Amino acid sequence: MIHNARSLNNKIDDIMLCVKDRNIDISCLSETWLFSQNSPITSTIKSHGYMIIHNYRSNQRGGGTAVIYKSCLKAQELRQNSDFTSFESTCVSFTSSGNKKVVFIVLYRTGTLSKVFFREVDDLLSHICSSSDDVVVTGDLNIHFENTNDKRVKECTDLFVSYGFKKQIHQPTHINGGTIDQLFTFSLDKKIIFSVPEIDSIHKFGSDHFPIFCNVQVALDTKYFKQLTYRKSSGTKTTAFREELKNVLTEIDLSGSFGACYSQLKSGLKGVLDLHAPVVTKSISVMEEAPWFDKEYRQLRSQRRYAEKCWKKHDKLTDYLLYKDLCFKATHLANQKKKQYFHRIISVSNNNPKTLFRMVNKALDHNQQQKIPDSGKGMSELAAEFNKFFSDKIAKIRAAMGPEPPPEFEDFTGSTLAEFK
């Protein structure tokens, strides 16, 4: 999903419900309006089984870019060596099959469109494309790409095309008709397929930009997954299945012992099942869900998804009104379940400060992750820094001990059990 949210602070629940309903793997957002690295907003995102990597304005309101992705995906932020002044950005690298890198870059540009912007974008692309197999650049560039004859539009498009990128969005993305949100894609081996973006002009989530949904056919590596084994019974021919079951019964040698008859029956039935409903093993990613999502809430979400399908299929006003009513009820119920959950935790842990502090830290997204070294550095550089830290620590301890020689100890001659008594 691509979207200029114009503040996540007042609509994060609605956006995350949309992300969950559509089973979106990666969302690229601009104008997040977040004010810190960790906040109740980031905590809400993580409670839905997703993670967020973002950059924000620390000195003024507005702006900000973010990449929200499923917590099971292997991702790391790519830090840039230079500070760009003409746009805000967030770069995240995902690992795909074959240990290849797929980089998602979210850009947000404001102000006057100058040569500085094109120069800095050129620097960014030259750095990313030289070390990545596949790159996706998206965001709100505030450039009207529908004006194909405009000199600045041509210059921007030609810059991306020179690196092998392809422009994907040609429809209006703003309520006033402009195509100012854009998606550029680059694939080194041409194996990643990007579908035609779907622009949703109905659900704006309170923004003046339309959310954009597109399908990227690439197998991303996951950190957590489990194996499911089941029999694939779809497409089974009922008549043939019945006939073969009858044949199994008629082929049993009833003159033998009970054990022999049972073995023949078991072997015959297994052979028929393996033929008509073969065993299939599937790996699925494991995602955490918010603890307050219970059966009642899941049923309401299911009703809402069904109402949305009916509305999009028949395009009737009554279906649309029913869908909007269920959207409101689902959001309201989620907030109510969340309040009930925290109220219950506080009531049970009234005399347990440790549990209360843990709950507050989780709600504010404080101390949720272990601090790790800068992922932008190479392994050899990290190893050198790690070695230097302990070498310096040992040197400081030796220096603090002074020049005095160590004390002399007498040789230990041993003791007998009688001496201990």
Side-chain angles (χ1 to χ4, degrees), residues 139-407:
D140 179 7
L141 301 181
N142 275 303
I143 299 176
H144 284 266
F145 287 94
E146 74 276 11
N147 300 329
T148 55
N149 295 325
D150 186 88
K151 179 181 177 181
R152 297 289 182 170
V153 173
K154 288 183 178 179
E155 186 175 358
C156 182
T157 304
D158 291 343
L159 174 59
F160 280 94
V161 171
S162 66
Y163 282 93
F165 282 86
K166 182 180 179 181
K167 186 173 69 172
Q168 299 288 350
I169 299 178
H170 304 279
Q171 308 97 313
T173 62
H174 193 269
I175 58 174
N176 293 329
T179 308
I180 59 179
D181 302 280
Q182 193 51 260
L183 171 67
F184 293 96
T185 58
F186 165 78
S187 182
L188 186 64
D189 53 10
K190 309 298 181 182
K191 290 184 178 180
I192 294 185
I193 302 174
F194 299 86
S195 67
V196 178
E198 172 197 348
I199 298 178
D200 190 347
S201 59
I202 302 297
H203 306 93
K204 301 186 295 293
F205 306 113
S207 174
D208 53 357
H209 293 249
F210 303 138
I212 305 165
F213 304 95
C214 57
N215 183 33
V216 182
Q217 297 181 18
V218 56
L220 297 177
D221 286 349
T222 58
K223 295 184 291 185
Y224 318 112
F225 61 91
K226 64 179 180 180
Q227 302 282 346
L228 290 182
T229 302
Y230 61 95
R231 289 190 177 274
K232 187 178 180 181
S233 58
S234 59
T236 302
K237 297 181 180 180
T238 309
T239 305
F241 184 65
R242 287 176 179 173
E243 291 298 325
E244 293 194 25
L245 286 178
K246 292 179 181 178
N247 293 336
V248 170
L249 295 176
T250 57
E251 292 175 0
I252 296 177
D253 184 6
L254 300 178
S255 61
S257 63
F258 174 79
C261 294
Y262 172 75
S263 297
Q264 291 180 36
L265 177 63
K266 182 179 179 180
S267 176
L269 292 177
K270 186 177 183 303
V272 174
L273 279 176
D274 291 340
L275 178 63
H276 292 275
V279 177
V280 178
T281 301
K282 183 179 181 182
S283 297
I284 63 170
S285 57
V286 179
M287 289 181 57
E288 295 181 359
E289 279 200 342
W292 52 83
F293 286 179
D294 57 8
K295 184 177 180 180
E296 180 186 6
Y297 176 72
R298 290 188 179 90
Q299 288 178 346
L300 185 58
R301 279 181 59 189
S302 177
Q303 294 175 14
R304 184 187 61 180
R305 286 194 296 268
Y306 179 74
E308 182 181 13
K309 290 179 181 178
C310 291
W311 163 55
K312 289 184 176 181
K313 182 178 181 180
H314 304 292
D315 196 20
K316 292 183 179 179
L317 179 60
T318 53
D319 292 335
Y320 173 72
L321 294 176
L322 176 61
Y323 166 64
K324 294 297 290 183
D325 181 60
L326 290 174
C327 285
F328 173 79
K329 289 181 178 179
T331 303
H332 177 73
L333 184 61
N335 292 329
Q336 185 181 3
K337 295 288 184 182
K338 186 175 181 179
K339 291 178 181 179
Q340 292 175 355
Y341 169 77
F342 283 112
H343 182 269
R344 184 170 63 255
I345 295 296
I346 293 173
S347 300
V348 174
S349 309
N350 192 26
N351 297 321
N352 191 340
K354 184 177 181 180
T355 303
L356 292 175
F357 276 114
R358 188 187 299 117
M359 183 201 68
V360 172
N361 285 334
K362 187 172 184 179
L364 298 178
D365 197 21
H366 290 168
N367 302 322
Q368 293 296 299
Q369 292 181 333
Q370 295 180 350
K371 293 184 178 180
I372 59 175
D374 186 2
S375 58
K377 298 180 180 179
M379 295 301 295
S380 59
E381 187 178 354
L382 287 175
E385 289 186 4
F386 183 82
N387 184 47
K388 184 177 182 300
F389 171 80
F390 282 100
S391 298
D392 293 344
K393 187 174 183 179
I394 294 173
K396 289 179 181 178
I397 294 175
R398 286 178 176 173
M401 294 175 63
E404 298 180 2

Side-chain angles (χ1 to χ4, degrees), residues 2-14:
I2 305 164
H3 188 42
N4 180 321
R6 285 189 60 83
S7 179
L8 292 177
N9 299 306
N10 60 348
K11 57 179 75 75
I12 186 60
D13 290 323
D14 291 334

Side-chain angles (χ1 to χ4, degrees), residues 23-25 49-51 69-75 94-95 220-226 284-288:
N23 194 27
I24 295 174
D25 294 314
Y50 285 77
M51 300 297 292
Y69 59 94
K70 286 183 176 180
S71 59
C72 60
L73 298 178
K74 295 180 180 179
F94 295 90
T95 305
L220 297 177
D221 286 349
T222 58
K223 295 184 291 185
Y224 318 112
F225 61 91
K226 64 179 180 180
I284 63 170
S285 57
V286 179
M287 289 181 57
E288 295 181 359

